[in-house]
Amino acid sequence: QVQLVQSGSEVKKPGSSVKVSCKASGGTLRSYSVAWVRQAPGQALEWVGGIIPVLGVVSYALGFQGRATITADESTNTAYMELNSLRSDDTAVYYCAGDRDRSFHSWGQGTPVTVSS
Amino acid sequence: QSALTQPASVSGSPGQSITISCTGTSSDVGSYTLVSWYQQQPGKAPRLMIYEVNKRPSGVSNRFSGSKSGNTASLTISGLRAEDEANYYCSSYAGSTTFVVFGGGTKVTVL
């Protein structure tokens, strides 16, 4: 089973950008789709988007289109999620997950992102 | 407000069975068998418990089972144990525009 290791916590100013990484080990990104899911404090899970690295196909939740960019680097087995124009309500833990037919079988440890002036 | 509706809390005594419902619409749960359930302990990443309505990943106890009828999916935990106390989330594929929707989560308490 692939293991996913994410980058560390981030503190950002409103209006800035954040880029979170997700490195796969025990498998290659070519074998997986990768989803990004976030969870605001005390709130439910929310799907941000996902990528099928072998096809280069990316999809986004409607609320993140134009503000989120998901990419993957097969040479380093790493997926990335960048979120622009950060607002205070983007404060959340961001997870990457291995996506198999829209079920998320393995998860990264989560990256806390705090947006505060 | 989440797209899928779950009860905020469900409780049961050790050894009992409980069922968590997840109500969607004909655009998500009602149209696809791609319904999943996740367990999340405080401060931890979610863990997949059920996928494709009723399939268990390797390592998940057979005390966990899933089903679906119409627009409502359900997760049943039988032989409830203290270690089952957690938040549970359902999700469903919702087509090629919306893709994935989650429920609001259900806190399971073992009395």
Side-chain angles (χ1 to χ4, degrees):
Chain A
Q1 176 124 326
V2 69
Q3 307 239 348
L4 302 173
V5 179
Q6 299 182 223
S7 49
S9 61
E10 302 267 10
V11 178
K12 296 292 183 179
K13 301 283 190 190
S16 67
S17 300
V18 68
K19 190 170 186 177
V20 181
S21 68
C22 171
K23 185 171 177 62
S25 61
T28 68
L29 282 184
R30 289 185 66 82
S31 305
Y32 289 89
S33 300
V34 177
W36 288 90
V37 176
R38 78 175 185 180
Q39 186 173 36
Q43 301 300 309
L45 303 170
E46 180 180 21
W47 184 75
V48 176
I51 185 168
I52 306 173
V54 67
L55 298 176
V57 173
V58 187
S59 52
Y60 299 98
L62 289 173
F64 293 96
Q65 287 181 4
R67 209 160 65 90
T69 303
I70 295 172
T71 56
D73 183 345
E74 291 186 46
S75 67
T76 59
N77 246 7
T78 304
Y80 300 90
M81 191 282 302
E82 183 172 23
L83 191 60
N84 302 318
S85 303
L86 288 169
R87 310 182 292 248
S88 58
D89 61 0
D90 291 318
T91 294
V93 177
Y94 289 77
Y95 294 100
C96 64
D99 180 347
R100 195 182 308 163
D101 290 331
R102 305 305 181 181
S103 63
F104 309 131
H105 286 246
S106 54
W107 292 70
Q109 81 276 20
T111 297
V113 175
T114 302
V115 183
S116 174
S117 55
Chain B
Q1 187 169 346
S2 299
L4 305 179
T5 301
Q6 299 180 233
S9 63
V10 172
S11 62
S13 300
Q16 286 186 329
S17 293
I18 61 168
T19 297
I20 304 168
S21 62
C22 170
T23 302
T25 69
S26 58
S27 297
D28 38 64
V29 175
S31 288
Y32 304 98
T33 57
L34 300 178
V35 175
S36 303
W37 290 90
Y38 302 88
Q39 176 192 69
Q40 188 178 35
Q41 305 282 0
K44 301 286 189 183
R47 176 192 178 195
L48 180 67
M49 305 303 283
I50 295 288
Y51 66 102
E52 293 178 16
V53 175
N54 56 15
K55 296 179 181 178
R56 276 188 309 275
S58 173
V60 172
S61 170
N62 59 9
R63 298 185 300 105
F64 292 85
S65 62
S67 63
K68 190 186 84 159
S69 177
N71 296 338
T72 299
S74 298
L75 173 71
T76 297
I77 309 174
S78 57
L80 200 61
R81 298 179 180 175
E83 69 214 48
D84 300 331
E85 196 162 280
N87 287 315
Y88 291 82
Y89 294 92
C90 63
S91 74
S92 174
Y93 180 63
S96 58
T97 300
T98 306
F99 294 101
V100 176
V101 289
F102 281 97
T106 297
K107 180 175 174 57
V108 168
T109 302
V110 181
L111 302 172

